[in-house]
Structures are given as C-alpha cells and as structure tokens.
Amino acid sequence: MGTRYRTFALILFLSSLLFSLALSASNDGLLRIGLKKLKLDQNNRLAARLESKETEALRASIRKYNFRGKLGDAADTDIVALKNYMDAQYFGEIGIGSPPQKFTVIFDTGSSNLWVPSAKCYFSVPCFFHSKYKSSQSSTYKKNGKSAAIQYGTGAISGFFSEDNVKIGDLVVKGQEFIEATREPSVTFLVAKFDGILGLGFKEISVGNATPVWYNMVKQGLVKEPVFSFWLNRNLKEEEGGELVFGGVDPNHYKGKHTYVPVTQKGYWQFEMGDVLIDGKESGYCSGGCSAIADSGTSLLAGPTTVVTMINHAIGAAGVVSQQCKAVVEQYGQTIMDLLLAEAQPKKICSQVGLCTFDGTRGVSAGIESVVNEKDGRSSGLGDAMCSACEMAVVWMQNQLKQNQTQDRILNYVNELCERLPSPMGQSAVDCGSISSMPTVSFSIGGKVFDLSPHEYILKVGEGAAAQCISGFTGLDIPPPRGPLWILGDMFMGRYHTVFDFGKLRVGFAEAA
C-alpha cells in the first residue's frame, strides 16, 4: 500500500510539474508554430523548367497591361499571380475541421487566402499526392459553395469556398472561410511538398473577399497582440526549420532592435525602401525610392531587371544574351551617352531617340502604348523590348558616369550587362567555387543598410559534384505607380527576423539570432 501511495504521489508530482512547465511556456501569450525546411532538389528545378513557358507568357501579359488601377482591382492581384512556390522552403502544419484533418501549408505573407485540396478533386493528378479535405468527416463544416480561382505564375487552382474550424497550434479559429481546391493543373503542385497555402496578407487582395485566417485570429481574441513574426533557421546542419510566432515576438529570435517602416499600401506587406548597393556602391536605380514587399512565400529576391542585371554582372551569373539590348547599345549607345553628358532629363532620353513615347513622367513602351491607344485604333509601333533595353542602358550609363569611367569603358560595360540579362524564368547560374569572392548586396530600409552575403543570396541545389548554384536575384518589372518594386523573400527574412505589426501597420527587421 505504501509503495502504491508513493508511486501515485510521484506521478501526481511529475504531472503537476509538467503542467506548470506547460503553463510557463504559454504564459507569454505567444503561439509558436514550428516550421519545417525543405532542401531544394532537382525535381523542383525540373518542375520550374517545365513551367517556364507558362510563366513567361503571364509575365508578358502583365507587362502589356501594366500595374495600374486602384487597390483591389485585378491588376493589383497580379503580384500573387507571379508567385512560383517551387522555391518556397518553409512549411508548417494546420488542422481543418472537427476532428482536425492535418495539412502542410506555406504560411505566405504574399497572399491572403487559405486553400487546401478537396476530396472532390477527381481529375487533377496533384490531388492524389496530397492530403484532401473531407467535409463529410467534419461536424463543424458549413456549406458555402461560392466558386473561386487563384492564378499563380505556375498555373491556376480553382474550386469553391467552404467554412470550417481551423486549428493552428493549440488555437482554433471558428467559422473560417477557405477554398476547397478541385483543380490543380500545375506540375508545381504535383511535386510540391506542401498541400496548400495559408495567406497572411491583407483582405484587400483576398480572392472572393474572404476574411483571412489572421483577421479572424485577432477578431476572435485568440492572440495577445495583433502581431506575428518569422524566424527562419538558415543553419543547414540543424533540423529545425524556424518558427512563426503569433501574438508578438520571441526575444530569443533576434539581436538588437528592429528597424520599423510603415505599410504604404495595404494588400501586400508593402513599404518604401531606398537604394540597392552592390559591394557598398549605390546602383542608382532606387535613389528616388522603390517599394518592397516582405514575402515568406518565396525564397527569391525579385526586383527591377535593370538592377538584377547589374548584380548578375557583379557576381558572374550567366543569363540569356539579349540581342535587342546589344542592338540598342550598338545603334543608340553613343547618342544616349551624349544626351546624358548634355544633362538631358534621363527619363526623356529614350523618347528623344525614338525608342519610347513619353507619358509625362516616364518612357512608355510599345506594348503599354498600344493598350492605351486601342480605343482609338492607333498603335505606336515601337518595340517593347527595345524601349525596355534603352531605359536600362540609360540607368547603367548614369551609374558609370558617376564613377568617372571613360566613354569606351562605359559602352563595353553596358554590352557586358546585356549578356547578363536574366533568363525568362529569372534564374541565372553561378560558379559554386566562386561564391566566397562575390560582393555583398545591400538594401537600404528605414535609413539603415541591410547586408546580404553571397552565401545568403545564392541558392544551392543538390550536393557534391552534381550541385548547382543559382543567383537568388530574379527580374520583376512593375512600373509606377505600383513600382519599381522589390520582393524580399526567405533569403532576406532568413538573415533578418521579420515582424508583421498588424495593429500599427508596419514591418520590422532585426538581425536574426
């Protein structure tokens, strides 16, 4: 009897100790979601190549129709449409329904909807390789039925809206609207290691005007503060992928203080940034200001092709030779140089040489101009590629003139840059053995310079002799008023702990611990 009593007392003591430890772990009011990290492999690369034609067609249509229109218009959701989740590496687990059905999702600050494959997905092969939501097995399911479709850079998903409880960690979001995907035609979703996407962007870009999961977490009082933060573990030797913290920040995840910048346009977590520096030298392209988006749904760093080409040249990345670019330099290079030396307005130079038209603030290429004049049945007839190449050449020459280079050297330099233009998929190969000698690339945000070393902006795919190294910089050209725009993915967020402050509408960055 005494032995039994002592055993019972020991179990009771251990239970109370574990209970107190569990309480202390949650006393700070933070919800911690462990993230898994996926190593990029050749399957991902193969899928990306198979999708390249589709993606380039979409990029071309976006170049044609521009990014005009008010927030919430179809034009403003096109940044979501450009997303390619093949390079996303961080995933977490959620549950939908009662009892919870488990799904692996990307927590994506660059979109706003929650979607998972549906048990009613009969004719798309990717659905057979992923967990599927079965509404018949949930006691909290509510029928909605409204149709839904989301276009990504690698294909669309479509289906219908439903409502159910969503479990994130120990918290349950009640009555959450989400998309049951019944069609996933893309190769991307076939080889993807994730089942769906949980968007953490603003409601303004939510398809179907569905209330995002995060909004309901705040509204239902499930979090201490209207703040969430990402810590992404970049240590390849550790299994832990990182942590997404809802309700605040974990002081163990960062060093020093955060630099905060206000959200300038709700939809994406968008803010103003300054120039991009290559090896400490300003590129000059964003000296007048650029916008940026903090995006956990991609690993890459997407920005204006003009700057990305300069970076590719500096790191020795091999892209696709642009014949239009070289033709512009050969035929108009000296004229552009003379106009710059004569202190002509840089924004007007390409219209002065006849390669672009000028809309009062900037050069407009043929593709955009033809859309503008479609109602009148007129078209400028100017080449879209030639106009873009001219505008890039102007920026490159300006940069070199500031460094007091000779005219011959400048023309040679611009020709070299033409050879470094990114491929249609935006990815350029580099020599894995030269990474240590590559320059630091920096972003100016909130008056502070944030550095990225070569090891942080180069993607390594595979191991050993078969390894391939890819420049993490990809071209993305979005004209004013929305752009020029940078998308700062996991490469940036891995180096810098990122805070998304929903209450104060700001984004913060600090050195990750």
Side-chain angles (χ1 to χ4, degrees):
M1 181 72 181
T3 304
R4 284 184 180 178
Y5 177 78
R6 284 193 296 273
T7 303
F8 175 75
L10 179 61
I11 292 171
L12 189 64
F13 170 74
L14 289 172
S15 298
S16 63
L17 179 62
L18 288 170
F19 181 69
S20 65
L21 285 172
L23 277 180
S24 65
S26 59
N27 270 348
D28 57 7
L30 302 178
L31 171 65
R32 295 173 168 83
I33 306 298
L35 299 176
K36 302 170 187 175
K37 185 181 180 184
L38 168 74
K39 282 188 177 181
L40 296 180
D41 57 28
Q42 294 302 328
N43 287 334
N44 296 59
R45 301 287 302 139
L46 175 61
R49 283 196 292 271
L50 288 172
E51 302 288 3
S52 62
K53 290 184 180 178
E54 192 175 339
T55 305
E56 181 57 17
L58 183 67
R59 287 177 184 269
S61 70
I62 287 170
R63 282 196 296 269
K64 177 181 178 184
Y65 290 109
N66 205 345
F67 271 68
R68 298 191 183 276
K70 296 178 181 177
L71 193 63
D73 289 351
D76 282 294
T77 63
D78 279 335
I79 298 175
V80 171
L82 284 171
K83 291 176 71 64
N84 180 351
Y85 289 103
M86 283 319 306
D87 52 61
Q89 292 180 269
Y90 294 90
F91 315 100
E93 194 174 87
I94 64 169
I96 302 178
S98 303
Q101 300 172 36
K102 292 182 179 179
F103 296 93
T104 298
V105 296
I106 295 174
F107 290 98
D108 178 24
T109 60
S111 65
S112 298
N113 290 88
L114 167 62
W115 68 263
V116 294
S118 172
K120 297 179 175 67
C121 180
Y122 304 119
F123 303 110
S124 287
V125 175
C127 289
F128 293 96
F129 291 86
H130 296 283
S131 299
K132 294 184 286 291
Y133 171 75
K134 303 174 180 67
S135 59
S136 60
Q137 296 182 9
S138 173
S139 62
T140 47
Y141 161 75
K142 289 183 181 179
K143 184 178 180 179
N144 180 307
K146 183 173 62 177
S147 63
I150 303 177
Q151 174 71 51
Y152 295 114
T154 50
I157 67 101
S158 58
F160 57 90
F161 282 100
S162 292
E163 289 181 26
D164 210 333
N165 293 350
V166 175
K167 187 176 182 183
I168 303 175
D170 294 328
L171 303 181
V172 177
V173 181
K174 295 180 179 178
Q176 176 62 47
E177 198 173 5
F178 68 99
I179 299 171
E180 288 192 50
T182 56
R183 180 172 164 76
E184 299 179 24
S186 171
V187 176
T188 296
F189 300 124
L190 176 64
V191 301
K193 302 298 190 293
F194 58 89
D195 301 313
I197 309 291
L198 192 154
L200 292 169
F202 291 92
K203 189 175 181 179
E204 280 80 353
I205 59 167
S206 177
V207 170
N209 201 36
T211 302
V213 174
W214 167 244
Y215 279 56
N216 281 330
M217 291 177 75
V218 175
K219 184 179 179 181
Q220 296 175 21
L222 301 178
V223 290
K224 182 180 178 182
E225 295 178 40
V227 174
F228 61 91
S229 52
F230 275 87
W231 170 69
L232 304 178
N233 188 1
R234 306 300 282 183
N235 190 332
L236 298 176
K237 296 179 181 178
E238 296 181 10
E239 288 187 15
E240 184 183 15
E243 209 166 55
L244 167 58
V245 177
F246 288 107
V249 297
D250 186 335
N252 295 318
H253 286 165
Y254 63 92
K255 305 171 188 175
K257 293 183 178 180
H258 287 85
T259 297
Y260 284 96
V261 284
V263 172
T264 54
Q265 194 168 1
K266 284 171 70 177
Y268 307 94
W269 289 90
Q270 184 171 331
F271 52 90
E272 292 297 318
M273 62 168 269
D275 208 358
V276 176
L277 291 79
I278 305 170
D279 207 13
K281 297 175 182 177
E282 293 185 355
S283 64
Y285 190 83
C286 289
S287 55
C290 283
S291 293
I293 292 169
D295 185 358
S296 61
T298 179
S299 282
L300 299 178
L301 300 158
T305 302
T306 305
V307 186
V308 170
T309 304
M310 294 170 73
I311 294 171
N312 279 349
H313 178 265
I315 66 178
V320 173
V321 176
S322 169
Q323 296 302 324
Q324 292 97 337
C325 182
K326 286 202 164 192
V328 166
V329 176
E330 183 179 347
Q331 295 177 44
Y332 303 97
Q334 190 61 53
T335 305
I336 293 171
M337 182 101 63
D338 293 341
L339 287 168
L340 282 171
L341 290 170
E343 299 184 353
Q345 289 187 38
K347 291 181 180 179
K348 291 185 177 181
I349 286 177
C350 293
S351 61
Q352 286 178 282
V353 298
L355 291 177
C356 302
T357 57
F358 189 72
D359 70 355
T361 57
R362 63 192 180 88
V364 181
S365 63
I368 297 171
E369 183 68 14
S370 63
V371 172
V372 171
N373 291 333
E374 268 173 7
K375 292 180 182 178
D376 303 327
R378 293 183 294 109
S379 176
S380 63
L382 299 175
D384 183 44
M386 298 287 274
C387 176
S388 297
C390 178
E391 290 181 330
M392 286 189 282
V394 169
V395 174
W396 296 336
M397 288 185 185
Q398 271 186 292
N399 176 274
Q400 290 296 292
L401 285 169
K402 287 177 183 176
Q403 298 180 37
N404 295 319
Q405 298 287 352
T406 64
Q407 292 190 29
D408 286 344
R409 175 69 191 99
I410 292 172
L411 290 172
N412 288 335
Y413 172 76
V414 173
N415 259 314
E416 289 172 12
L417 287 182
C418 285
E419 296 180 3
R420 302 298 182 178
L421 283 169
S423 66
M425 272 299 288
Q427 296 165 338
S428 302
V430 298
D431 179 8
C432 293
S434 303
I435 293 177
S436 58
S437 61
M438 293 177 189
T440 298
V441 177
S442 313
F443 295 85
S444 178
I445 301 172
K448 184 176 178 179
V449 173
F450 293 83
D451 295 332
L452 288 179
S453 70
H455 290 282
E456 291 162 340
Y457 63 70
I458 297 295
L459 273 174
K460 192 173 183 180
V461 183
E463 300 293 336
Q468 294 180 354
C469 290
I470 310 296
S471 167
F473 293 95
T474 179
L476 178 68
D477 295 304
I478 299 173
R482 188 90 198 199
L485 183 77
W486 279 89
I487 295 178
L488 306 180
D490 297 340
M491 286 184 167
F492 188 85
M493 291 173 61
R495 171 71 187 271
Y496 298 103
H497 179 258
T498 308
V499 178
F500 298 85
D501 191 333
F502 185 70
K504 296 180 180 178
L505 289 178
R506 60 181 186 169
V507 185
F509 302 100
E511 188 84 28

